[in-house]
Amino acid sequence: MLDKPKCMLTVDVEALALRAPAHHVDSLIYGRFNGEEWGIGRMMDIADKHQVKLTFFLDFAETELYGEDIIQAGRYIASRGHDLQIHCHYNLLENQVRNRFPEAAESYYTWYEDEAVSEFLVDYCLEQYRKCTDREPIVFRGGEYRVGKALLKKLKEKKVAADASYNYIRPVEKPMNRQFVFENGLFELPVAVLPEKEGIASKVLNFNEAHLYPVKEADLEPCLKEYEKVFREFYDCYGKNTLAAMVMHSWSFCYEKERFQSSGYMDRPNIYAAEFFDRFLAHFKGKYEFITAAQAVTAEEIHFSKTIDFDAVFSLHEQRESREKFKWIESFIKEKARGRRIIIWGKGWIEGRVMRIWNLSQQLDAAFYISRDADKKRLWRRKPVKTFEEAELSRDKDYVLVIANTRFPEIRDSLHEIGFVEFEDYIDIAQPLPDIENGNEEDKEYPACSICGGNKFVPFNSKRPRYCEGCGSVERNRTIPLLFSENLGTELLSKRILHVSPSRPERIFFEKTGAKNITTLDVRPQVKPDIVADLCDMPQVESESFEIVFANCVLNHVYDDNAALAEVCRVLKGNGLFIVWVMGSGGMCTTIDQEPAAWYGQETMDTYRVGTYRHYGERDFYHLLMRYFAEVHAFEKYDAPSEMSCCWYVCKKKNGAGKDV
Ligand SMILES: [Zn+2]
Ligand SMILES: [Zn+2]
C-alpha cells in the first residue's frame, strides 16, 4: 500500500461552565490570556504552517449559554478553511427539551434513545450550524461521547454522513473498533483507542493524556517518542487502513495538571503544549496523512468494509449484564455496610452511567458524595457533595462505593492510607468483582427463531440461551436468514450454491426458502453430503462451477486455510460470492489453537484432518480474505434470542480469474 496511514485531528470546541471561573468563551475556546491567544486560533495558526486541516466539533448546545458567541466561533473556524462539524452536550438543552417534551426522561442519558427528542436535538444543532456556513455538516459527536440508536437514525435521516462518538467506554465498556458503517448507512469514525496490553488498560489517543502531554521543555522529545510508539501500536493493531481519530479540545493548550486538579479549571496556558503541537505536526506530517472528517467519509483507502446492526452495538445483553452487576453491588454493599453510612465517590460526574443503569444512589441512600468538583457543585440529586478532606471518612462509620469508570489509583491510595480495606470497607466498580450469578432467565419469553419459528432456547457452551430446541440452531445459523433478507437479497438463494459442511438448521433454512441449486460438500461421508471431498483439495469439483460458496464455521477446522481459499476461488464463477463465518479470537490477531483435536476428537483428526486449528483475528482474517478476493465486506448481524451477534464475511471473486496469489 503506497498511501500513508491516515490520522484525523479533532478538536472539541466547548466552554463548559465548570471549566473556567469566568469569561468562558474567551478563555476556553479562544484561550485569551494577557493579550495572547492559546485556543482555536493558535491551533489553526500552527496547523496552517504545516498545511494541515483540523476538524472542529463545536458544541452548538452552548448557544443556550453564550448565544451569538458560539455562532461567531463557528464562522471563524469556517472562514479559516478548517473543517467545522457538530458537537452537542445534550444536558445544556435541558430547558428546550423540557418545554417541548414534558414527558422526556429525567436523565439526558436517555434522550438520544428517544426518537422525538433526538429529532429535536439534531434539528437544533443543524439550525445553529447553518448560521455559520453555507456547507452542510457531515459528522456529529455527542457530548460525553454519548449516542443512541434513535439519535443515529435521525442523523442519517437528516443527511449527516457520520458519527464520531464511539470510544473505549461508549456505548458499552471498551468496545474496540476501527471505522465501520451502521446498518442504516451512517458511518462511524471511532476515537482511536489503543488496545489493553500486558495488563495496561486501553488508552485513548488524547492530546491531554498524561503520558502524551508535555509539562516542561524536557518532555517535548520523550512525548514525540511516545507518540511514535502509540501510532505504531495503533496501526499494527487495526491495520494501516484504519483511521486514527485523535482528540483535542479548544482548551488543550490551557490544561495544566496542578491547576486543573485544584480548581477544575483549564485557564492557564501551557506554552509547551502549543510548542509541542508544532513539533508534532512537523514530525508526523511526512509519515501520516492528516485528513479532516469531511475527507474521511469519502476516503477510499479507509473503505468502510464492515456493516454493523444497531443492536449488535447497543447490545441488550451487555446492558443487562451491567444491570445484574449493579444489582449485585447493591446487595453486597448493603450486607457489608452493616449500619455504616454509605458514601459514593466519583471522579467527576461523567460516571453517571452507573446511576443510569441502576440507580445506585437512590437504592443505597448514600449519605453524601465525594468529588473533586465539590467546590463548584455542592449538591447533587439533593445530597451534599464534599471533597475527600471534608468527608473525614472513617472505617467504623463509613462504607465507600467508588464509581469511576476507569481505574483511578489515587482514590484507592487515599482510602488505603486511612486504613480502608477493599470489599470490607469499600468497593471500586472499575476493579474486578467476584463472580456474579446471572439472573433467572428460565421463564423469559424469547423472540422467534429466524429459521424454525420456535421460541425455546437453552444454554449451549455458555450461560447464554443460544441453542434452539426446534431446529438445533445457534446464533451463527440464525443470522443467515437475516444476512440474506436484510443485506444480500433473497434472490441470491436461487443461485448455484456449494454448501460446505452442511448443518441441520442450514439445510432447513435452504429448504424452506426454496433454494433448489444447492450442492453439499463435506470430507466426512457420515454427514451424507452430495460430494465427499476435502475443501483444501477438491478436484471432484469443476472450476468456475458455482455462483456462491457457503461455509459456516469451516475455515477454523481445515488444516490449510490458504489451500481451502484457493480452492474456493477456483470453483467460484467470476463475480461469485464466498459467504463465510469463522470463530473469532476476540481480538485483531489470529491465534493458533494449542489443542486442535479437543472438540472433534483425535479420530476425526487422524481420519479427515478436521480439528480446531486456529481462531481468526478480525484484522488478520480480513487481510487473509483480501489476498484471494477482489472485495471483502463484513456484516455484524444481531441474533435477538441469544442477544449475541455474528460477523459474516461476504467476499467477491474478481470477474474472470482469481487474484494472483
Ligand atoms: Zn464535549
Ligand atoms: Zn429454530
Side-chain angles (χ1 to χ4, degrees):
M1 198 180 296
L2 291 171
D3 290 301
K4 293 178 206 162
K6 292 183 169 47
C7 178
M8 176 171 94
L9 299 173
T10 70
V11 184
D12 292 358
V13 181
E14 56 189 41
L16 300 179
L18 274 178
R19 296 289 166 238
H23 312 294
H24 290 86
V25 171
D26 263 354
S27 57
L28 293 167
I29 291 182
Y30 296 103
R32 289 183 180 135
F33 302 103
N34 306 321
E36 292 180 319
E37 288 224 9
W38 299 89
I40 56 172
R42 182 73 153 244
M43 285 172 190
M44 288 188 275
D45 291 344
I46 297 170
D48 289 350
K49 179 176 151 194
H50 299 285
Q51 288 111 44
V52 165
K53 296 275 184 237
L54 307 176
T55 300
F56 291 92
F57 288 94
L58 176 58
D59 182 9
F60 283 102
E62 288 177 30
T63 41
E64 287 297 299
L65 300 177
Y66 312 118
E68 194 61 18
D69 286 354
I70 294 301
I71 306 304
Q72 286 302 339
R75 287 184 186 143
Y76 175 54
I77 292 164
S79 75
R80 293 202 49 175
H82 287 263
D83 195 21
L84 177 67
Q85 302 298 344
I86 296 177
H87 189 35
C88 175
H89 276 266
Y90 311 107
N91 54 318
L92 301 178
L93 296 175
E94 170 117 36
N95 288 341
Q96 298 265 7
V97 170
R98 296 265 171 257
N99 286 339
R100 283 176 178 75
F101 310 97
E103 307 287 292
E106 189 201 338
S107 159
Y108 65 90
Y109 301 151
T110 52
W111 292 352
Y112 38 75
E113 287 161 8
D114 178 310
E115 297 234 348
V117 180
S118 292
E119 174 150 31
F120 165 73
L121 296 170
V122 174
D123 281 342
Y124 181 94
C125 291
L126 288 175
E127 193 189 325
Q128 308 309 321
Y129 183 94
R130 287 173 184 142
K131 292 177 190 165
C132 303
T133 163
D134 293 338
R135 294 193 182 184
E136 282 294 291
I138 293 167
V139 189
F140 176 91
R141 175 174 284 167
E144 299 165 15
Y145 304 90
R146 293 173 187 281
V147 281
K149 208 155 69 170
L151 189 107
L152 295 170
K153 283 183 184 165
K154 289 299 165 196
L155 287 173
K156 182 67 185 171
E157 279 173 37
K158 310 270 174 184
K159 309 249 182 313
V160 176
D163 173 71
S165 310
Y166 192 99
N167 73 94
Y168 77 121
I169 46 168
R170 310 266 191 263
V172 193
E173 281 173 72
K174 298 190 177 77
M176 311 292 299
N177 234 321
R178 66 197 297 280
Q179 62 272 10
F180 62 87
V181 192
F182 285 106
E183 60 176 284
N184 68 342
L186 186 79
F187 298 137
E188 177 61 51
L189 306 170
V191 172
V193 174
L194 288 185
E196 192 168 322
K197 210 176 142 192
E198 286 143 20
I200 300 165
S202 43
K203 285 186 211 127
V204 192
L205 191 46
N206 182 340
F207 187 79
N208 294 91
E209 188 87 9
H211 68 121
L212 298 171
Y213 187 70
V215 296
K216 53 184 187 300
E217 174 83 39
D219 292 341
L220 294 172
E221 280 308 306
C223 280
L224 270 186
K225 289 268 171 315
E226 189 64 24
Y227 266 103
E228 277 185 350
K229 215 173 92 196
V230 162
F231 277 122
R232 200 166 46 234
E233 261 180 51
F234 178 85
Y235 293 117
D236 276 354
C237 169
Y238 294 100
K240 300 238 181 313
N241 57 354
T242 303
L243 176 72
M246 178 163 148
V247 173
M248 299 175 74
H249 283 82
S250 48
W251 43 255
S252 271
F253 297 163
C254 303
Y255 170 76
E256 216 199 57
K257 197 176 168 200
E258 271 173 34
R259 171 70 172 160
F260 177 69
Q261 280 182 341
S262 63
S263 67
Y265 298 148
M266 322 274 192
D267 62 345
R268 212 146 66 185
N270 168 5
I271 56 166
Y272 303 109
E275 161 76 23
F276 180 73
F277 188 53
D278 190 16
R279 289 200 196 187
F280 171 92
L281 290 180
H283 187 82
F284 289 111
K285 71 181 173 189
K287 277 189 164 167
Y288 306 122
E289 190 183 344
F290 292 102
I291 62 171
T292 62
Q295 290 167 325
V297 298
T298 54
E300 239 181 71
E301 305 88 308
I302 290 171
H303 42 212
F304 294 81
S305 55
K306 190 171 182 181
T307 304
I308 306 188
D309 286 358
F310 279 124
D311 289 333
V313 172
F314 300 96
S315 160
L316 298 170
H317 153 55
E318 278 164 63
Q319 279 177 25
R320 199 174 40 237
E321 265 191 2
S322 299
R323 223 177 358 246
E324 293 296 332
K325 175 172 152 182
F326 294 126
K327 220 154 70 183
W328 180 89
I329 291 173
E330 181 198 330
S331 51
F332 182 85
I333 292 178
K334 282 181 172 165
E335 148 97 34
K336 284 284 179 194
R338 262 180 273 119
R340 288 183 280 183
R341 295 186 302 184
I342 294 166
I343 318 295
I344 295 180
W345 191 338
K347 180 99 177 173
W349 297 107
I350 205 160
E351 296 81 22
R353 188 183 74 97
V354 177
M355 302 300 172
R356 173 196 150 194
I357 295 172
W358 187 253
N359 198 339
L360 272 177
S361 62
Q362 228 162 52
Q363 306 298 332
L364 294 172
D365 192 23
F368 57 87
Y369 302 101
I370 301 179
S371 164
R372 63 169 180 217
D373 289 332
D375 48 339
K376 276 160 270 123
K377 198 163 190 156
R378 303 304 305 185
L379 274 182
W380 195 69
R381 300 208 172 168
R382 293 171 215 93
K383 294 278 174 70
V385 182
K386 303 183 181 189
T387 62
F388 171 58
E389 291 73 22
E390 289 165 349
E392 296 182 350
L393 298 176
S394 86
R395 291 186 65 189
D396 314 325
K397 293 201 315 282
D398 305 309
Y399 191 94
V400 176
L401 163 65
V402 181
I403 60 163
N405 262 339
T406 36
R407 277 164 260 190
F408 286 106
E410 59 267 34
I411 294 182
R412 298 164 61 79
D413 290 348
S414 307
L415 286 170
H416 293 165
E417 263 167 42
I418 54 170
F420 276 58
V421 177
E422 183 160 24
F423 299 125
E424 290 312 308
D425 308 309
Y426 81 92
I427 187 164
D428 179 352
I429 64 152
Q431 293 293 118
L433 301 174
D435 253 353
I436 299 167
E437 281 300 305
N438 272 341
N440 183 7
E441 295 195 353
E442 258 167 39
D443 31 72
K444 198 184 157 220
E445 266 194 45
Y446 290 103
C449 169
S450 60
I451 291 177
C452 73
N455 59 2
K456 281 212 166 61
F457 297 90
V458 293
F460 177 71
N461 275 344
S462 90
K463 284 182 187 166
R464 312 277 332 133
R466 301 170 54 207
Y467 183 86
C468 171
E469 291 195 323
C471 65
S473 65
V474 291
E475 65 282 356
R476 64 182 166 79
N477 308 117
R478 286 188 299 271
T479 44
I480 299 166
L482 308 178
L483 177 72
F484 280 98
S485 64
E486 295 170 5
N487 304 95
L488 304 181
T490 46
E491 65 279 4
L492 283 184
L493 291 164
S494 61
K495 304 278 183 195
R496 270 211 83 191
I497 299 175
L498 181 65
H499 184 189
V500 185
S501 184
S503 70
R504 188 166 88 95
E506 285 158 14
R507 288 182 196 240
I508 295 174
F509 165 66
F510 284 129
E511 212 161 280
K512 270 185 124 177
T513 52
K516 294 252 164 10
N517 291 313
I518 306 257
T519 305
T520 54
L521 178 144
D522 203 297
V523 69
R524 300 160 298 177
Q526 65 271 31
V527 175
K528 299 199 172 68
D530 300 324
I531 304 172
V532 176
D534 175 2
L535 186 66
C536 304
D537 179 22
M538 44 179 181
Q540 302 92 321
V541 185
E542 231 180 280
S543 295
E544 303 199 25
S545 53
F546 287 94
E547 284 154 312
I548 291 175
V549 174
F550 184 90
N552 189 356
C553 201
V554 174
L555 282 183
N556 301 92
H557 304 300
V558 301
Y559 55 91
D560 183 347
D561 53 356
N562 276 291
L565 286 166
E567 279 291 77
V568 167
C569 270
R570 181 182 64 78
V571 305
L572 273 176
K573 293 183 179 180
N575 287 328
L577 299 179
F578 179 42
I579 302 177
V580 55
W581 181 89
V582 291
M583 283 192 289
S585 65
M588 292 285 155
C589 306
T590 296
T591 56
I592 301 303
D593 200 296
Q594 297 307 316
E595 290 177 87
W599 180 257
Y600 288 101
Q602 195 60 46
E603 203 189 318
T604 308
M605 170 73 86
D606 294 342
T607 320
Y608 307 112
R609 299 176 77 182
V610 169
T612 305
Y613 292 93
R614 59 198 85 78
H615 302 263
Y616 290 101
E618 195 174 317
R619 177 203 63 202
D620 288 353
F621 190 57
Y622 178 79
H623 287 148
L624 176 68
L625 294 172
M626 281 303 284
R627 290 179 57 197
Y628 294 90
F629 295 93
E631 286 172 40
V632 175
H633 297 278
F635 298 91
E636 181 99 24
K637 301 303 296 169
Y638 182 73
D639 171 56
S642 64
E643 295 176 349
M644 293 167 80
S645 61
C646 295
C647 190
W648 283 90
Y649 290 83
V650 178
C651 319
K652 193 173 190 176
K653 182 179 166 174
K654 252 190 196 161
N655 199 1
K659 263 193 179 177
D660 292 335
V661 288

